[in-house]
Amino acid sequence: MENGQAAFRDALIAAGLLIPTGVDGLYGRSGVFEDVVERFNDLITTWGGGDGADVMRFPPGVARHQFEQSGYLKSFPHLAGTVHAFKGDERAHQSLLRRLEEGEEWTDAQLATNVVLTPAACYPVYPTIAERGPLPADGALVDVYSYCFRHEPSLDPARMQLFRMREYVCVGTPEQVMEFRQSWVERGRALMESLALPVAVDLANDPFFGRAGRMLAASQRDQGLKFELLIPIASAEQPTACLSFNYHQDHFGLLWDLRTPDGAVAHTACVGFGMERVALALFRHHGFDVKAWPAAVRAVLWG
Ligand code: ATP
Ligand code: ZN
Ligand code: MG
């Protein structure tokens, strides 16, 4: 399995689609790869843009105070990436340069900034919506798109450390967000089938940390809170999650004090599109030469 992943990665690099950096999970992308990502991003808008979502674009960093409040460190301390920076004086600078030169550790002198790398595109949305006060009667619908960081270095080219996630996020009553999620499970499947990709939708869980995390994961599955749309990419036996459909119940509502007009704690849900994973799925199933892709697929993406 690992071999298949590394072989697929090497093939993508040899074809120039991915540009290696020497760090697993950190890649540049060619113009062809980026064109596919951009065309797919537009396709998402074609399917979802009619719902009147509020478009928000954040840089790939969240405010540290928001990150601390988000609860991410309780569930996923192993995936988080914090931004650190030099805050020393000239003496400290000399010492940094000396250690760099001598191949010694220099990063331990870096201090935390107020920026944490965004772990999922929807994280800045909840505090933003909370700032606005009680929700309107039809809830809130937000369209976000961001680079995300997760510390999960891997030989699998579909498991990157920095990757892009497009999301629609719904905040409202339990009925409103459940209907949103159900509609996206169906739309997401149809959207991906329009690209002639072999898809399966299955129950899933998040990679919660530690022993308590195993219980959280089991309960997430029991309650049917997370579904993934899977496509074989680097491995046929273990298909890769390319889209995910998440119902958070009142988790973020309680954390951020999100309220429906009648004062009840709001529920939230999101659909996430893994942009690089979808591009990789297309390259896997239709080949590295986009001009040779099936005409129907080309028509969907390039019109
Ligand atoms: P996995 O189960 O593969 O670890 P996930 O369940 O953690 O993925 P989500 O947290 O639901 O993924 O993130 C939303 C989407 O972002 C996923 O459906 C996937 O397409 C994409 N994604 C998640 N992690 C990565 C990664 N390391 N590299 C590239 N894309 C990713
Ligand atoms: Zn989300
Ligand atoms: Mg998963």
Side-chain angles (χ1 to χ4, degrees):
M1 228 267 296
E2 282 280 295
N3 278 342
Q5 294 172 345
F8 184 49
R9 179 179 79 160
D10 291 347
L12 289 158
I13 291 170
L17 290 165
L18 292 185
I19 303 162
T21 67
V23 173
D24 291 337
L26 187 68
Y27 304 101
R29 292 94 183 185
S30 73
V32 171
F33 192 106
E34 286 303 291
D35 189 34
V36 170
V37 168
E38 279 172 33
R39 299 311 304 150
F40 181 67
N41 192 39
D42 287 348
L43 184 65
I44 297 170
T45 308
T46 303
W47 284 75
D51 298 350
D54 205 346
V55 176
M56 296 183 194
R57 296 290 180 263
F58 293 91
V62 297
R64 171 148 63 129
H65 67 274
Q66 290 180 348
F67 181 79
E68 288 167 352
Q69 199 178 330
S70 75
Y72 194 82
L73 288 170
K74 272 190 200 148
S75 299
F76 312 109
H78 54 306
L79 297 177
T82 50
V83 177
H84 284 60
F86 175 76
K87 293 184 193 170
D89 57 12
E90 288 188 42
R91 241 184 68 196
H93 181 213
Q94 289 311 315
S95 149
L96 185 158
L97 293 180
R98 182 189 53 75
R99 285 189 283 168
L100 191 61
E101 187 138 321
E102 288 165 13
E104 287 173 24
E105 187 56 59
W106 61 272
T107 54
D108 52 8
Q110 301 290 100
L111 295 176
T113 67
N114 285 327
V115 179
V116 177
L117 295 171
T118 300
C122 61
Y123 269 67
V125 170
Y126 310 108
T128 303
I129 296 294
E131 272 297 307
R132 296 181 175 174
L135 291 163
D138 53 354
L141 183 65
V142 180
D143 165 341
V144 277
Y145 187 23
S146 178
Y147 259 100
C148 297
F149 175 86
R150 292 185 187 176
H151 187 239
E152 47 185 3
S154 169
L155 293 179
D156 180 356
R159 189 167 298 286
M160 297 178 170
Q161 298 199 61
L162 276 156
F163 57 94
R164 279 160 290 184
M165 200 188 291
R166 174 88 183 267
E167 288 195 59
Y168 287 106
V169 188
C170 180
V171 186
T173 64
E175 296 72 32
Q176 284 166 344
V177 307
M178 283 301 274
E179 195 204 304
F180 160 87
R181 189 181 67 157
Q182 192 48 38
S183 94
W184 269 110
V185 170
E186 284 153 29
R187 267 194 270 183
R189 181 196 280 276
L191 190 167
M192 298 307 286
E193 282 173 349
S194 80
L195 296 172
L197 293 170
V199 309
V201 174
D202 203 357
L203 199 56
N205 62 265
D206 286 311
F208 295 103
F209 183 76
R211 200 179 328 164
R214 280 201 287 281
M215 314 236 312
L216 288 174
S219 123
Q220 189 183 29
R221 272 180 181 269
D222 289 346
Q223 298 180 76
L225 300 182
K226 185 181 184 84
F227 289 88
E228 290 176 339
L229 182 143
L230 305 158
I231 303 175
I233 300 184
S235 147
E237 314 86 66
Q238 278 187 278
T240 300
C242 292
L243 276 60
S244 68
F245 314 93
N246 307 291
Y247 175 35
H248 318 115
Q249 297 171 303
D250 61 4
H251 176 75
F252 290 117
L254 285 169
L255 273 172
W256 296 107
D257 196 27
L258 296 160
R259 302 269 169 183
T260 58
D262 63 3
V265 175
H267 283 219
T268 63
C270 64
V271 51
F273 297 82
M275 305 305 286
E276 286 77 13
R277 285 187 178 179
V278 171
L280 291 171
L282 286 161
F283 288 117
R284 165 55 108 192
H285 291 279
H286 302 321
F288 288 177
D289 178 6
V290 292
K291 295 204 179 63
W293 285 6
V297 173
R298 288 190 55 81
V300 167
L301 287 173
W302 283 277

